[in-house]
């Protein structure tokens, strides 16, 4: 008899200061009475990339295949699965129904790879409302934006050419 997969809940959120701009992401993972919070930030990104990154990073934390419920307030991240848009995107070579290029294909492909490892169900929650863990993720993502150190990012540092005579 095969043991059943662990059931994990992951709450996620992304934020961006400017869009594009400096972004943050966060996830709260719940398993068997335990809670783990993760977050991060990056420069020169978009809110949608941070929303997807939060889900991806949450799923990457799992050490074995699990049954996962992902809670997100991002229609951008959830609707492609709930409304089966992603299957159409793939069939059309990563183009939308209106023949536009799908944005953030790299992240969508990573998320699909993780979705093949785990049984993932997506749930859309109302953002900035009474969902305590969604609000916690929002706070963690916004805090990550504030804590990021500009000197650590090559994206924001000007490129200085070295004179030939040095």
């Amino acid at each position: 008899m095969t043991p059943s997969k662990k059931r994990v809940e992951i709450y996620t959120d992304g934020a961006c200061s400017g869009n594009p701009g400096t972004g943050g992401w966060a996830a709260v993972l719940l398993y068997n009475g335990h809670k783990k919070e993760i977050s991060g930030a990056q420069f020169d990104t978009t809110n949608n990339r941070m929303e997807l990154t939060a889900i991806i990073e949450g799923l990457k934390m799992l050490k074995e295949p699990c049954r996962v419920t992902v809670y997100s307030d991002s229609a951008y991240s959830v609707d492609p699965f709930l409304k089966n848009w992603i299957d159409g995107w793939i069939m059309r070579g990563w183009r939308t129904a209106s023949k536009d290029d799908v944005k953030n294909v790299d992240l969508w492909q990573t998320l699909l790879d993780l979705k093949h490892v785990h049984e993932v169900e997506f749930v859309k929650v109302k953002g900035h409302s009474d969902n305590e863990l969604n609000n916690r993720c929002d706070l963690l993502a916004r805090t990550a934006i504030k804590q990021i150190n500009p000197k650590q990012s090559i994206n924001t540092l000007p490129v200085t050419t070295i004179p030939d005579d040095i």
Side-chain angles (χ1 to χ4, degrees):
M1 180 176 198
T2 307
S4 63
K5 293 179 181 175
K6 295 176 180 174
R7 295 187 60 77
V8 177
E9 293 179 295
I10 303 177
Y11 286 79
T12 66
D13 200 15
C16 214
S17 180
N19 198 20
T22 302
W25 60 268
V28 175
L29 292 83
L30 303 172
Y31 168 70
N32 201 21
H34 300 281
K35 179 167 84 169
K36 181 172 187 82
E37 297 180 341
I38 59 172
S39 62
Q42 77 183 66
F43 294 99
D44 194 26
T45 190
T46 64
N47 189 68
N48 286 340
R49 286 190 70 81
M50 293 295 90
E51 295 282 2
L52 288 172
T53 298
I55 297 170
I56 289 166
E57 293 301 324
L59 291 170
K60 281 182 176 180
M61 293 300 297
L62 305 176
K63 294 180 169 78
E64 64 188 68
C66 296
R67 292 176 64 196
V68 183
T69 304
V70 172
Y71 298 90
S72 173
D73 64 5
S74 168
Y76 176 80
S77 302
V78 171
D79 283 354
F81 296 102
L82 296 180
K83 299 180 179 183
N84 296 317
W85 296 342
I86 199 153
D87 296 331
W89 294 350
I90 294 166
M91 285 185 347
R92 290 186 292 275
W94 291 100
R95 294 201 179 275
T96 65
S98 59
K99 304 210 176 14
D100 295 324
D101 289 337
V102 172
K103 292 184 170 89
N104 304 309
V105 171
D106 59 329
L107 296 178
W108 288 114
Q109 289 173 332
T110 300
L111 182 50
L112 282 174
D113 289 344
L114 289 164
K115 202 171 167 296
H116 290 298
V117 173
H118 307 287
E119 294 175 37
V120 182
E121 173 191 4
F122 292 90
V123 176
K124 172 85 170 62
V125 298
K126 186 172 180 175
H128 310 285
S129 63
D130 61 350
N131 188 305
E132 177 186 345
L133 292 175
N134 180 256
N135 290 338
R136 178 68 180 156
C137 287
D138 180 63
L139 175 64
L140 290 169
R142 287 186 291 110
T143 300
I145 291 170
K146 291 177 187 171
Q147 292 177 341
I148 195 166
N149 181 351
K151 293 180 180 163
Q152 293 176 340
S153 173
I154 30 179
N155 293 338
T156 60
L157 293 176
V159 176
T160 307
T161 22
I162 300 171
D164 291 332
D165 59 349
I166 293 180

XYZ file of all heavy atoms in Angstrom, residues 110-147:
307
model
N 8.419 26.963 -15.196
C 8.916 26.470 -13.903
C 7.761 26.019 -13.028
O 7.830 24.956 -12.396
C 9.736 27.567 -13.190
O 10.848 27.928 -14.012
C 10.233 27.096 -11.835
N 6.696 26.804 -13.007
C 5.528 26.445 -12.207
C 4.901 25.146 -12.719
O 4.521 24.277 -11.925
C 4.511 27.592 -12.220
C 3.246 27.403 -11.395
C 3.543 26.965 -9.968
C 2.426 28.684 -11.402
N 4.827 24.978 -14.017
C 4.296 23.729 -14.573
C 5.166 22.535 -14.200
O 4.644 21.457 -13.881
C 4.174 23.834 -16.092
C 2.973 24.617 -16.603
C 3.050 24.767 -18.119
C 1.664 23.963 -16.199
N 6.488 22.713 -14.222
C 7.391 21.636 -13.813
C 7.107 21.218 -12.365
O 7.052 20.026 -12.049
C 8.856 22.056 -13.949
C 9.311 22.174 -15.394
O 8.624 21.654 -16.307
O 10.368 22.808 -15.617
N 6.922 22.196 -11.490
C 6.625 21.899 -10.088
C 5.240 21.275 -9.940
O 5.027 20.414 -9.079
C 6.728 23.178 -9.254
C 8.150 23.697 -9.071
C 8.146 25.145 -8.590
C 8.927 22.805 -8.113
N 4.325 21.685 -10.782
C 2.967 21.138 -10.747
C 2.960 19.669 -11.168
O 2.082 18.912 -10.774
C 2.063 21.983 -11.650
C 0.609 21.885 -11.315
C -0.162 22.918 -12.108
C -1.633 22.666 -12.046
N -2.058 21.412 -12.642
N 3.950 19.262 -11.945
C 4.067 17.848 -12.316
C 4.605 17.009 -11.157
O 4.378 15.802 -11.108
C 4.956 17.683 -13.547
C 4.330 18.191 -14.803
N 3.171 17.688 -15.327
C 4.686 19.188 -15.637
C 2.842 18.333 -16.425
N 3.753 19.264 -16.635
N 5.296 17.629 -10.231
C 5.825 16.930 -9.060
C 4.739 16.807 -7.988
O 4.596 15.769 -7.351
C 7.049 17.682 -8.480
C 7.509 17.061 -7.167
C 8.175 17.728 -9.493
N 3.996 17.867 -7.798
C 2.990 17.929 -6.732
C 1.586 17.959 -7.327
O 1.392 18.418 -8.449
C 3.197 19.205 -5.896
C 4.585 19.357 -5.378
N 5.090 18.601 -4.354
C 5.604 20.177 -5.775
C 6.340 18.950 -4.118
N 6.678 19.906 -4.969
N 0.627 17.481 -6.556
C -0.780 17.649 -6.918
C -1.189 19.019 -6.387
O -1.292 19.203 -5.178
C -1.639 16.561 -6.273
C -1.376 15.172 -6.779
C -2.175 14.140 -6.002
O -3.331 14.419 -5.620
O -1.614 13.053 -5.766
N -1.395 19.970 -7.289
C -1.624 21.351 -6.871
C -3.048 21.781 -7.225
O -3.489 21.620 -8.360
C -0.620 22.319 -7.533
C -0.840 23.744 -7.045
C 0.813 21.879 -7.253
N -3.720 22.318 -6.232
C -5.035 22.935 -6.417
C -4.871 24.417 -6.117
O -4.211 24.791 -5.143
C -6.051 22.306 -5.453
C -7.391 22.993 -5.442
C -8.282 22.517 -4.297
O -7.840 21.712 -3.456
O -9.425 23.005 -4.240
N -5.458 25.258 -6.961
C -5.364 26.700 -6.769
C -6.690 27.244 -6.263
O -7.749 26.861 -6.752
C -4.992 27.405 -8.085
C -3.596 27.099 -8.535
C -3.335 26.027 -9.364
C -2.535 27.873 -8.102
C -2.040 25.732 -9.772
C -1.239 27.582 -8.500
C -0.992 26.508 -9.340
N -6.607 28.144 -5.291
C -7.787 28.800 -4.731
C -7.553 30.297 -4.771
O -6.536 30.782 -4.271
C -8.064 28.337 -3.279
C -9.228 29.104 -2.678
C -8.299 26.831 -3.232
N -8.479 31.011 -5.365
C -8.405 32.482 -5.421
C -9.029 33.029 -4.148
O -10.144 32.680 -3.803
C -9.162 32.988 -6.660
C -9.329 34.482 -6.751
C -8.124 35.138 -7.366
C -8.343 36.591 -7.702
N -8.624 37.460 -6.595
N -8.277 33.866 -3.436
C -8.798 34.526 -2.232
C -8.895 36.021 -2.505
O -8.208 36.553 -3.387
C -7.910 34.265 -0.988
C -7.867 32.793 -0.655
C -6.514 34.812 -1.163
N -9.738 36.678 -1.760
C -9.875 38.121 -1.911
C -8.690 38.798 -1.222
O -8.412 38.548 -0.049
C -11.193 38.580 -1.306
C -11.464 40.036 -1.550
C -12.844 40.451 -1.117
C -12.980 41.926 -1.411
N -14.268 42.451 -1.168
N -7.999 39.636 -1.955
C -6.832 40.313 -1.410
C -7.193 41.470 -0.504
O -8.255 42.076 -0.642
N -6.317 41.743 0.430
C -6.455 42.895 1.334
C -7.815 42.892 2.033
O -8.457 43.926 2.171
C -6.215 44.207 0.580
C -4.954 44.182 -0.225
N -3.722 44.296 0.352
C -4.745 44.022 -1.551
C -2.792 44.216 -0.590
N -3.384 44.039 -1.748
N -8.224 41.712 2.477
C -9.503 41.616 3.183
C -9.265 40.943 4.529
O -8.286 41.244 5.191
C -10.513 40.841 2.326
O -10.058 39.515 2.119
N -10.112 40.004 4.887
C -10.018 39.400 6.214
C -9.257 38.073 6.222
O -9.284 37.359 7.203
C -11.423 39.207 6.799
C -12.281 38.282 5.936
O -11.862 37.944 4.812
O -13.376 37.914 6.398
N -8.551 37.748 5.139
C -7.777 36.516 5.111
C -6.430 36.777 5.798
O -5.536 37.388 5.220
C -7.590 36.025 3.669
C -6.962 34.660 3.618
O -5.890 34.446 4.180
N -7.622 33.735 2.955
N -6.310 36.287 7.006
C -5.146 36.581 7.846
C -3.825 36.179 7.186
O -2.846 36.939 7.208
C -5.292 35.854 9.185
C -4.113 36.014 10.111
C -4.216 35.160 11.365
O -5.307 34.654 11.677
O -3.177 35.005 12.028
N -3.778 35.003 6.571
C -2.512 34.552 6.003
C -2.182 35.250 4.689
O -1.011 35.474 4.386
C -2.509 33.030 5.848
C -2.510 32.292 7.195
C -2.633 30.801 6.995
C -1.266 32.630 8.005
N -3.186 35.630 3.913
C -2.926 36.430 2.727
C -2.393 37.798 3.145
O -1.436 38.304 2.547
C -4.182 36.580 1.875
C -3.924 37.418 0.647
O -4.307 38.578 0.600
N -3.244 36.854 -0.340
N -2.965 38.373 4.175
C -2.476 39.655 4.687
C -1.051 39.523 5.223
O -0.236 40.423 5.059
C -3.404 40.193 5.773
C -4.735 40.654 5.217
O -4.858 40.951 4.032
N -5.748 40.686 6.062
N -0.741 38.401 5.854
C 0.604 38.167 6.371
C 1.602 38.111 5.208
O 2.683 38.700 5.274
C 0.646 36.865 7.187
C 2.007 36.506 7.715
C 2.482 37.470 8.765
N 3.810 37.076 9.237
C 4.672 37.900 9.783
N 4.349 39.165 9.975
N 5.835 37.472 10.180
N 1.224 37.418 4.133
C 2.092 37.343 2.964
C 2.312 38.724 2.359
O 3.426 39.060 1.954
C 1.503 36.395 1.915
S 1.617 34.659 2.366
N 1.264 39.515 2.303
C 1.384 40.878 1.775
C 2.385 41.676 2.607
O 3.264 42.349 2.059
C 0.013 41.560 1.773
C 0.084 42.979 1.242
O 0.442 43.157 0.065
O -0.220 43.913 2.019
N 2.281 41.581 3.921
C 3.213 42.284 4.807
C 4.646 41.790 4.605
O 5.586 42.588 4.503
C 2.798 42.101 6.266
C 3.753 42.698 7.307
C 3.828 44.214 7.183
C 3.325 42.303 8.709
N 4.829 40.472 4.517
C 6.173 39.917 4.317
C 6.766 40.360 2.983
O 7.947 40.690 2.896
C 6.127 38.389 4.384
C 5.845 37.770 5.753
C 5.570 36.273 5.607
C 6.996 38.027 6.712
N 5.947 40.385 1.927
C 6.440 40.799 0.601
C 6.824 42.275 0.611
O 7.875 42.655 0.080
C 5.373 40.518 -0.452
N 5.979 43.115 1.214
C 6.295 44.545 1.270
C 7.511 44.807 2.156
O 8.324 45.682 1.864
C 5.078 45.337 1.749
C 3.982 45.421 0.688
C 2.802 46.309 1.052
N 2.003 45.715 2.138
C 1.944 46.193 3.373
N 2.600 47.282 3.711
N 1.200 45.594 4.284
N 7.665 44.028 3.215
C 8.836 44.161 4.086
C 10.107 43.765 3.338
O 11.149 44.409 3.476
C 8.663 43.308 5.354
O 7.491 43.753 6.050
C 9.873 43.418 6.275
N 10.022 42.713 2.523
C 11.187 42.275 1.739
C 11.638 43.380 0.787
O 12.840 43.580 0.591
C 10.856 40.998 0.970
N 10.690 44.097 0.212
C 11.034 45.216 -0.677
C 11.836 46.266 0.096
O 12.853 46.764 -0.376
C 9.770 45.859 -1.283
C 9.113 44.901 -2.271
C 10.103 47.188 -1.965
C 7.731 45.360 -2.745
N 11.374 46.585 1.304
C 12.034 47.620 2.104
C 13.424 47.184 2.564
O 14.303 48.015 2.769
C 11.186 47.948 3.331
C 9.900 48.668 2.995
C 9.069 48.896 4.240
C 7.706 49.451 3.871
N 6.809 49.488 5.026
N 13.629 45.875 2.732
C 14.900 45.391 3.277
C 15.960 45.127 2.226
O 17.124 44.935 2.569
C 14.654 44.102 4.084
C 13.869 44.359 5.345
C 13.555 43.079 6.098
O 13.597 41.990 5.556
N 13.226 43.228 7.373
